Amino acid sequence: MVLPFGANIPAHLYESRSILSVLQYAVTPLSIGEIAERLPENIHRKTLQRRLKSLVLSEDVLMEGERRNARYMINNNDAVTHKPVAVQAEK
């Protein structure tokens, strides 16, 4: 994989960000093949599987189905993606 000029991030982070970007704009859950087609760079299929597994374990991506029928989508749940939530103080 060739990183963009001046990129100082590890390849696995760049690949994970690329995958998240593809899933963010997907209207429906995508298969591994569909994700690979939409990525701007070529990621080996086994590497793509490892990155997706890591993203599922970190709960940034949801997986529906199993094995060959697996489809992936971005997890938009605020509680899981660690987005800040406003907490009101009790009076």
Side-chain angles (χ1 to χ4, degrees):
M1 154 163 292
V2 177
L3 296 177
F5 180 73
N8 279 336
I9 61 172
H12 71 279
L13 290 178
Y14 178 78
E15 292 163 349
S16 294
R17 287 180 186 175
S18 295
I19 294 165
L20 288 171
S21 180
V22 166
L23 293 174
Q24 181 178 3
Y25 293 103
V27 177
T28 60
L30 301 175
S31 68
I32 288 180
E34 292 168 327
I35 295 169
E37 289 174 2
R38 296 177 187 198
L39 286 170
E41 65 282 329
N42 187 19
I43 298 177
H44 191 273
R45 186 174 180 88
K46 192 66 177 173
T47 302
L48 181 54
Q49 289 173 335
R50 283 193 297 268
R51 300 294 176 255
L52 283 166
K53 182 178 180 180
S54 175
L55 290 168
V56 168
L57 289 174
S58 69
E59 298 182 343
D60 291 321
V61 170
L62 299 174
M63 182 178 83
E64 63 180 31
E66 294 180 15
R67 297 186 179 152
R68 296 183 73 112
N69 294 323
R71 301 233 173 238
Y72 300 88
M73 65 191 122
I74 199 84
N75 186 351
N76 290 322
N77 184 345
D78 287 345
V80 174
T81 56
H82 312 293
K83 294 181 182 173
V85 178
V87 178
Q88 293 180 347
E90 293 182 25
K91 293 183 179 182

